[in-house]
Amino acid sequence: MCSFMVYTKNDIKKEDFLKGFKKIKYRGPDMSRLEEDKGIWGFHRLAIMGLSESGMQPFCYKENKLVCNGEIYGFRKIKKELEKEGYKFTSDSDCEILLPLYEKYKEEMFKKLDAEFACVIYDKSTNDFIAARDPIGIRPMFYGYSKVSDSIMFASEAKAIIDLCDKVIPFPPGYYYKDGKFTKYLDATKYSKFITDDIDTVTKNIKEKLEKAVIKRIDADTPIGYLLSGGLDSSLVCSIASKYTKKPIRTFAIGMNTDAIDLKYAKEVADYIGSIHTEVIIDEKDVINALDEVIYHLESWDITTVRASIGMYLLTKWIHENTDIKVLLTGEVSDELFGYKYTDYAPNKEEFQKESEKRIRELYMYDVLRADRCISAVSLEARVPFADLEFVDYVMGIDPDMKMNKYNKGKYLLRKAFIGDYLPENILFREKAAFSDAVGHSMVDYLKLYADKKYSDLEFSEKVKKYNKHKPFTKESLLYREIFEKYYPNSSDLIIDYWMPNKSWEGCDVTDPSARVLKNYGDSGK
């Protein structure tokens, strides 16, 4: 995990650039560099691959220049092939291979990468700046146009450039920018092959591809940890990793001091796979005190995102302060592929697939945003195996009729794929609990109570009138929006809307985004 800030001109004051650049140093505390050549380039490094100073960016090659926040999977094999062609590398960093690859393939390079990345390249031959972001949007990037000359600038987080631009916009995943235009190079929702195989073949492939996705993400030159909620997704990631590492993995779970739901399940998984397990316990005061920090780092006012981020942020903060871990594997992106509790209400397979596509397209504003910001805020790196491009392509291509809940058990294909010695059966087939609920139902209840005490009914009705877009509709949502506006005034378009179930479906017309309010929640979260 690193951060960068690049301005394509040299017409702003250096101190103004530095003011924004310093705001994102926590993403890369190991080393910082500023260069004023062909624009202004700033880079903060969190050393994960190639730990020596030679891995510091920007990288240069034949007067081309690169900054990249990313992980390039399989880079060692590519590096050997490039060395045979005569290229001499100066570091052990995975990102250094991008400049010779760019020289060979130009913009076609981006669709060839098995990676999660955001990068900016200067091409000397054309005097162009090229920027690109991975197809899921795992790594963040924002852009805006300078108030001084309307020239474009890029940054890993919006906060870095928000004072320098009239408007800051998320860089769209799966696109590259060149010569003033944004071009889509890969759409992660469009599969390469429609899969109609029998269920045994499909689940065998799901298992093999998810194992491969986890294995490639446990390659690092620094210690790795695992977030283990006790739910299906994180438990599978931890179980797979434990089978392919020589030493016991280190797992971490968090819960409220009163009613933590998932701690017992996380411990059961940890005991089963033999991990070195840590529980972090939080209380009402921890939750309320974290709100400002969480919303500042998230750059979001969304209810679901804020709720789910508090536990994750406090857990990763504890990990940073008490361990030497620098990389964390997480279980995000499974719901978007295999279904939420609310997608049980999908009226047909076409609607199920459309909803999955929508959720994949918007991941960078919600779940993967949460994972990135919570983890990078404390100078760690997030890796998300379920977002592996090959895995996503395969699952999106499965006939949606097979993915719908026809089995009286959500995510049945994923569960069936790992029947065996991966997890205890009661964990493998346990109903899903919403992340914020799993930390403890009391957490959300405390947040709602805090907001209810903060605003009278009259005050709430008056305050919401000032918001013409994305209007808060509960006291809790007003609380989050006011904190957001304190740090990012008039920037609510950084995300598209509140994350909510598909209200057009029968059974999903709810006023709270938590799965807990759905009639089919049943035994989830117990």
Side-chain angles (χ1 to χ4, degrees):
M1 189 67 63
C2 302
S3 62
F4 59 77
M5 180 175 167
V6 176
Y7 182 42
T8 55
K9 298 289 184 183
N10 294 83
D11 56 11
I12 61 173
K13 295 178 181 178
K14 183 178 179 179
E15 54 264 36
D16 291 338
F17 185 95
L18 281 170
K19 185 179 178 182
F21 182 49
K22 288 176 181 176
K23 290 180 182 178
I24 53 174
K25 182 174 175 57
Y26 52 79
R27 294 185 69 94
D30 294 341
M31 188 177 179
S32 299
R33 180 174 290 168
L34 184 71
E35 295 184 1
E36 298 179 82
D37 174 48
K38 304 301 181 185
I40 310 176
W41 300 68
F43 190 80
H44 297 299
R45 186 182 185 210
L46 178 69
I48 302 294
M49 305 298 292
L51 305 184
S52 71
E53 189 173 331
S54 62
M56 183 58 183
Q57 301 182 37
F59 287 120
C60 295
Y61 176 64
K62 294 185 178 179
E63 297 188 78
N64 292 346
K65 201 165 189 171
L66 163 83
V67 288
C68 179
N69 169 25
E71 288 297 334
I72 316 301
Y73 299 112
F75 82 96
R76 300 178 199 280
K77 180 181 178 182
I78 299 171
K79 185 176 181 179
K80 286 181 181 178
E81 292 170 354
L82 290 168
E83 285 174 332
K84 290 177 183 177
E85 296 173 16
Y87 184 78
K88 291 181 172 56
F89 290 90
T90 60
S91 78
D92 294 320
S93 168
D94 53 323
C95 291
E96 191 182 358
I97 69 170
L98 294 181
L99 278 177
L101 285 178
Y102 175 77
E103 185 183 46
K104 286 182 68 173
Y105 301 113
K106 297 300 184 182
E107 294 80 31
E108 287 295 306
M109 172 186 76
F110 301 123
K111 69 175 65 174
K112 296 177 181 291
L113 293 177
D114 178 12
E116 43 205 48
F117 70 94
C119 69
V120 180
I121 298 169
Y122 172 72
D123 187 335
K124 168 69 173 176
S125 65
T126 59
N127 198 33
D128 279 329
F129 285 85
I130 298 94
R133 189 178 183 187
D134 70 73
I136 303 290
I138 301 295
R139 298 303 171 96
M141 180 159 59
F142 294 82
Y143 71 97
Y145 298 92
S146 164
K147 294 177 181 178
V148 174
S149 63
D150 205 33
S151 299
I152 199 166
M153 61 178 67
F154 306 95
S156 295
E157 294 187 13
K159 58 180 63 67
I161 59 176
I162 207 154
D163 293 331
L164 300 173
C165 305
D166 288 321
K167 185 176 183 181
V168 175
I169 306 164
F171 195 101
Y175 279 74
Y176 69 81
Y177 165 91
K178 182 180 181 181
D179 195 26
K181 298 177 182 178
F182 289 84
T183 301
K184 182 182 288 188
Y185 68 86
L186 196 150
D187 185 343
T189 71
K190 304 304 179 187
Y191 47 82
S192 58
K193 181 182 178 183
F194 187 60
I195 310 297
T196 57
D197 294 330
D198 62 89
I199 193 167
D200 288 336
T201 301
V202 167
T203 53
K204 176 177 178 288
N205 288 329
I206 287 172
K207 177 178 178 289
E208 290 177 353
K209 292 179 185 301
L210 185 59
E211 285 182 319
K212 183 179 175 183
V214 172
I215 292 165
K216 73 172 69 168
R217 283 164 176 78
I218 55 180
D219 181 10
D221 295 334
T222 55
I224 295 177
Y226 299 80
L227 300 187
L228 175 58
S229 72
L232 174 67
D233 308 325
S234 64
S235 297
L236 281 176
V237 170
C238 292
S239 177
I240 294 168
S242 71
K243 290 180 178 294
Y244 291 94
T245 50
K246 294 178 181 178
K247 297 180 181 179
I249 66 171
R250 297 164 75 180
T251 55
F252 301 86
I254 191 165
M256 295 296 295
N257 62 338
T258 52
D259 61 348
I261 294 166
D262 272 7
L263 286 182
K264 62 182 178 182
Y265 298 112
K267 186 178 186 309
E268 185 177 351
V269 173
D271 289 345
Y272 186 85
I273 65 176
S275 68
I276 301 168
H277 188 58
T278 301
E279 293 181 352
V280 175
I281 308 299
I282 56 175
D283 58 23
E284 178 184 3
K285 184 178 178 182
D286 295 322
V287 170
I288 302 304
N289 287 346
L291 257 182
D292 262 56
E293 291 175 49
V294 166
I295 292 173
Y296 173 74
H297 286 297
L298 287 177
E299 302 173 344
S300 174
W301 39 264
D302 175 57
I303 301 168
T304 304
T305 305
V306 175
R307 287 177 180 175
S309 294
I310 293 172
M312 179 175 273
Y313 173 71
L314 291 172
L315 178 58
T316 55
K317 184 178 181 182
W318 188 96
I319 294 169
H320 172 67
E321 292 172 350
N322 293 277
T323 77
D324 60 352
I325 285 168
K326 278 195 169 184
V327 175
L328 288 169
L329 267 68
T330 76
E332 276 76 23
V333 191
S334 172
D335 294 339
E336 290 77 8
L337 294 170
F338 293 99
Y340 292 85
K341 292 298 292 186
Y342 83 86
T343 55
D344 286 359
Y345 291 104
N348 53 57
K349 68 177 189 177
E350 290 79 17
E351 285 296 306
F352 181 98
Q353 187 75 2
K354 280 172 60 179
E355 193 69 11
S356 185
E357 290 176 1
K358 169 183 165 64
R359 294 305 180 190
I360 292 291
R361 283 195 297 270
E362 296 178 356
L363 262 168
Y364 72 103
M365 291 184 284
Y366 301 111
D367 275 17
V368 299
L369 178 150
R370 167 172 54 83
D372 173 84
R373 300 305 195 284
C374 290
I375 294 173
S376 67
V378 293
S379 305
L380 304 178
E381 174 175 290
R383 295 187 182 175
V384 190
F386 280 99
D388 182 81
L389 292 176
E390 182 182 341
F391 185 75
V392 170
D393 177 69
Y394 183 79
V395 177
M396 288 300 290
I398 297 170
D399 185 344
D401 187 58
M402 294 182 71
K403 290 181 283 187
M404 291 181 71
N405 188 359
K406 307 182 301 180
Y407 318 92
N408 198 31
K409 184 65 64 175
K411 297 184 178 179
Y412 180 75
L413 295 183
L414 182 61
R415 299 177 196 275
K416 178 175 168 53
F418 286 91
I419 290 174
D421 64 347
Y422 282 81
L423 294 171
E425 186 175 352
N426 66 302
I427 298 289
L428 187 62
F429 285 92
R430 178 186 164 221
E431 287 294 340
K432 173 184 171 57
F435 183 80
S436 55
D437 291 338
V439 173
H441 285 170
S442 61
M443 190 189 79
V444 172
D445 295 339
Y446 287 140
L447 290 166
K448 289 181 175 181
L449 181 62
Y450 178 73
D452 197 53
K453 289 180 177 178
K454 185 175 178 64
Y455 307 107
S456 67
D457 292 346
L458 179 60
E459 190 176 10
F460 168 74
S461 62
E462 287 299 315
K463 282 180 174 286
V464 296
K465 290 177 182 177
K466 68 187 251 185
Y467 300 108
N468 296 319
K469 296 185 72 174
H470 317 301
K471 189 183 288 291
F473 57 96
T474 62
K475 291 180 181 179
E476 183 191 7
S477 61
L478 175 62
L479 172 65
Y480 302 161
R481 182 62 175 275
E482 288 201 325
I483 297 173
F484 173 88
E485 292 290 336
K486 179 169 64 176
Y487 297 114
Y488 311 107
N490 304 311
S491 301
S492 67
D493 285 343
L494 286 174
I495 62 172
I496 193 170
D497 206 348
Y498 292 100
W499 190 102
M500 294 288 283
N502 189 329
K503 291 189 173 187
S504 68
W505 293 350
E506 185 178 351
C508 297
D509 191 9
V510 294
T511 57
D512 189 289
S514 174
R516 206 196 324 173
V517 304
L518 297 173
K519 291 180 180 179
N520 69 334
Y521 199 51
D523 291 332
S524 302
K526 291 184 180 180

